[in-house]
Amino acid sequence: MKEFFPEIGKIEFEGKNSKNPLAFKFYDAEKKIDSIKLKDHLRFSLAFWHTMTGTGVDPFGMATMLRPWDNMDDPMKKAMARVDAAFEIMTKLGLEYFCFHDRDVAPEGKNLAETNRNLDEVVGYIHRKMDETGIKLLWGTANLFSNPRYMHGAATSCNANVFAYAAAQVKKAIEVTLELGGENYVFWGGREGYETLLNTDMKLELDNLARFLKMAVEYADKIGFEGQFLIEPKPKEPTKHQYDFDVSSVIAFLKQYDLDRYFKINIESNHATLAGHTFQHELRLARINGMLGSIDANQGDLLLGWDTDQYPTDIYNATLAMYEVIKDGGFKSGGLNFDAKPRRSSFEPRDIFLSFIAGMDTFAKGFEIAKELADGGELDDFIEERYSGFTKGIGKKIIDGEVGFEELERYAMKIDRIVNHSGSQELLEAILNRYILA
Ligand code: XLS
Ligand code: NI
Ligand code: NI
């Protein structure tokens, strides 16, 4: 088979002293930690859209990316070539998972039936490549935002025909995810929100979104799709306000409509930034609610207000993210999907590999640091001590529900001096640094 990247071989682990740009410095896939290989802790995934279809366009400029398959005119031939290239990239980097939207892998036809046939043809080919390589599908999803029909939204469109079309599209996307053994199915509602409340029936839109998700749950059950459903929060972009704003609003929404037991959350670092939260905040909130599903690993730019989807190289962020995953007992069906793209000026084919290496090394190291931090127990010990007042005396009574305002008033009347202790943030940050810089 023709190689798309003949000048690049298998990327090997060479260790931290290597200066070879095309080698891993920290990601040693086979290294065992707690008798599980690093690659199985991390479950790295390629995002088909950015890596295979991203062109480098931005609102001010046209495509820059040099992609060896882009000289093909026939859209189906190009789709097949992209699949070959994707599997070549994954094999060379040792990525064992990928994620895709229906429209990333196959072009739309002149009607839905033809579109579905195109999708089936490419999915059949992907299936063969998966069997050949052992590469797996982390999650599938449907693109309900690019086509102009979704200008007012999909499940939250004002147009019932659009709701129906979106349902048909998701039905098919769940079917192909099942066919490929996908471990999760993601809902990201890029246009499920609004631009102005002047033209928006917010109540109907939210009810319809819940109706849509309920239909998805019912259909998955009917066809025997047992993968995990995930919702990916994002506060804005492309819409001014997206209903799946952040982890907190997603959980509230799911609970309100009695859907929470069917869903977990796919958390993207850059989306946390846009919501004004840290990545760790979003992961923590999902974790303590038993809803940490999967991660879109990337990073934003704190000075820019949009989803820059950069490859993650921030070791602090990666460490604290992996700390939450470790505290959650590791990934179940989820993984680390690089929902990231090389910068518009990193346009050469080799930049694809360099970007993944940067991201994979960062998360591998972040995981190892986080593991030591968790095993060291210093943060846990501090927190345990900090809240120890709730394990005895009046604190215990509060926790056990034995007292109300009246009893607490009586108790408070007798306190002659309240003693607080330092929160020691700087000490704890120094402890974190000690692990990171060790
Ligand atoms: C966009 C989202 C998108 C989802 C999949 O901002 O991150 O890429 O991950 O639809
Ligand atoms: Ni994403
Ligand atoms: Ni995103």
Side-chain angles (χ1 to χ4, degrees):
M1 168 162 326
K2 172 179 180 287
E3 275 188 77
F4 286 94
F5 307 92
E7 68 292 354
I8 289 170
K10 176 110 180 65
I11 307 299
E12 307 286 355
F13 168 71
E14 291 185 2
K16 66 176 181 189
N17 294 324
S18 168
K19 294 223 167 76
N20 175 4
L22 288 165
F24 294 116
K25 320 298 178 301
F26 300 103
Y27 179 50
D28 181 2
E30 300 297 316
K31 175 173 175 181
K32 286 197 174 166
I33 298 179
D34 279 357
S35 66
I36 296 174
K37 290 180 180 173
L38 200 45
K39 65 178 183 144
D40 299 321
H41 281 294
L42 298 169
R43 296 162 60 88
F44 286 136
S45 158
L46 169 142
F48 209 94
W49 52 104
H50 285 311
T51 310
M52 310 317 299
T53 67
T55 60
V57 287
D58 75 7
F60 297 92
M62 47 184 77
T64 57
M65 297 294 160
L66 294 178
R67 295 293 179 255
W69 51 87
D70 270 350
N71 50 11
M72 274 167 238
D73 285 332
D74 179 71
M76 282 302 278
K77 278 208 185 109
K78 190 162 163 171
M80 297 301 188
R82 279 199 181 113
V83 173
D84 286 332
F87 279 83
E88 185 183 334
I89 295 170
M90 291 189 276
T91 306
K92 288 183 169 171
L93 280 161
L95 291 160
E96 295 191 343
Y97 292 89
F98 68 104
C99 299
F100 71 101
H101 301 84
D102 47 4
R103 302 300 174 250
D104 308 332
V105 295
E108 290 205 48
K110 57 182 184 301
N111 52 39
L112 186 56
E114 189 182 295
T115 301
N116 285 349
R117 277 197 301 277
N118 288 349
L119 184 58
D120 282 333
E121 203 179 320
V122 183
V123 163
Y125 188 53
I126 291 177
H127 206 161
R128 286 216 326 260
K129 302 287 284 189
M130 290 170 72
D131 288 344
E132 269 167 43
T133 58
I135 288 169
K136 298 173 283 271
L137 177 60
L138 187 66
W139 47 265
T141 189
N143 177 330
L144 304 178
F145 42 90
S146 295
N147 191 289
R149 75 176 67 88
Y150 295 121
M151 63 172 72
H152 301 302
T156 63
S157 174
C158 50
N159 184 336
N161 280 347
V162 174
F163 185 104
Y165 197 100
Q169 200 181 318
V170 169
K171 172 179 177 289
K172 181 72 185 171
I174 297 172
E175 288 164 11
V176 302
T177 302
L178 171 65
E179 182 184 336
L180 297 177
E183 297 184 29
N184 308 269
Y185 181 90
V186 165
F187 291 86
W188 172 65
R191 299 201 188 268
E192 312 293 27
Y194 64 81
E195 297 298 335
T196 171
L197 288 174
L198 296 176
N199 65 12
T200 301
D201 184 341
M202 192 191 235
K203 169 90 169 76
L204 180 71
E205 291 201 359
L206 285 165
D207 288 350
N208 277 355
L209 182 55
R211 290 185 181 103
F212 193 91
L213 295 176
K214 188 156 172 279
M215 290 179 201
V217 166
E218 284 166 0
Y219 186 66
D221 186 50
K222 183 163 180 195
I223 63 171
F225 174 68
E226 287 175 0
Q228 176 66 52
F229 273 147
L230 300 171
I231 294 192
E232 183 176 325
K234 185 178 182 181
K236 56 189 166 194
E237 195 211 23
T239 63
K240 158 204 174 118
H241 176 91
Q242 265 146 236
Y243 294 129
D244 298 331
F245 196 91
D246 58 3
V247 170
S248 179
S249 21
V250 167
I251 293 175
F253 171 86
L254 291 171
K255 283 194 191 285
Q256 187 191 348
Y257 291 97
D258 206 17
L259 285 164
D260 49 304
R261 63 188 172 284
Y262 306 113
F263 291 85
K264 286 187 177 175
I265 304 181
N266 183 41
I267 295 166
E268 177 166 323
S269 177
N270 205 157
H271 297 182
T273 307
L274 294 178
H277 302 306
T278 62
F279 190 18
Q280 190 187 15
H281 166 97
E282 291 291 78
L283 292 163
R284 175 72 61 89
L285 198 50
R287 166 163 84 79
I288 62 176
N289 282 282
M291 292 175 94
L292 203 176
S294 196
I295 287 181
D296 271 6
N298 63 15
Q299 71 189 29
D301 186 312
L302 293 178
L303 302 184
L304 297 174
W306 63 92
D307 204 6
T308 57
D309 288 333
Q310 288 160 237
Y311 273 85
T313 52
D314 180 330
I315 190 67
Y316 277 82
N317 233 354
T319 300
L320 294 173
M322 293 321 292
Y323 186 75
E324 296 302 320
V325 172
I326 289 166
K327 286 290 187 184
D328 201 39
F331 286 122
K332 281 97 200 168
S333 64
L336 286 164
N337 173 46
F338 287 103
D339 192 352
K341 56 187 178 198
R343 297 306 79 198
R344 186 165 183 268
S345 49
S346 304
F347 65 97
E348 294 174 13
R350 145 189 164 110
D351 288 307
I352 296 176
F353 291 86
L354 299 176
S355 304
F356 271 106
I357 292 168
M360 293 163 82
D361 267 341
T362 303
F363 266 90
K365 184 70 185 166
F367 178 85
E368 291 202 35
I369 299 167
K371 182 77 177 71
E372 285 180 12
L373 187 62
D375 289 350
E378 286 169 77
L379 300 184
D380 282 340
D381 291 349
F382 186 89
I383 291 174
E384 198 183 311
E385 175 60 26
R386 188 166 186 234
Y387 294 89
S388 59
F390 287 95
T391 60
K392 53 190 184 270
I394 193 68
K396 182 150 191 322
K397 287 194 177 141
I398 293 171
I399 299 280
D400 294 343
E402 284 170 12
V403 291
F405 271 10
E406 287 156 319
E407 293 82 356
L408 290 174
E409 182 188 48
R410 250 177 273 136
Y411 179 85
M413 293 289 187
K414 284 184 269 170
I415 306 175
D416 47 33
R417 201 167 65 92
I418 288 186
V419 183
N420 271 313
H421 299 286
S422 170
S424 302
Q425 180 171 333
E426 299 76 6
L427 167 69
L428 297 167
E429 286 168 347
I431 290 175
L432 175 60
N433 273 353
R434 207 180 75 228
Y435 282 89
I436 289 181
L437 301 173

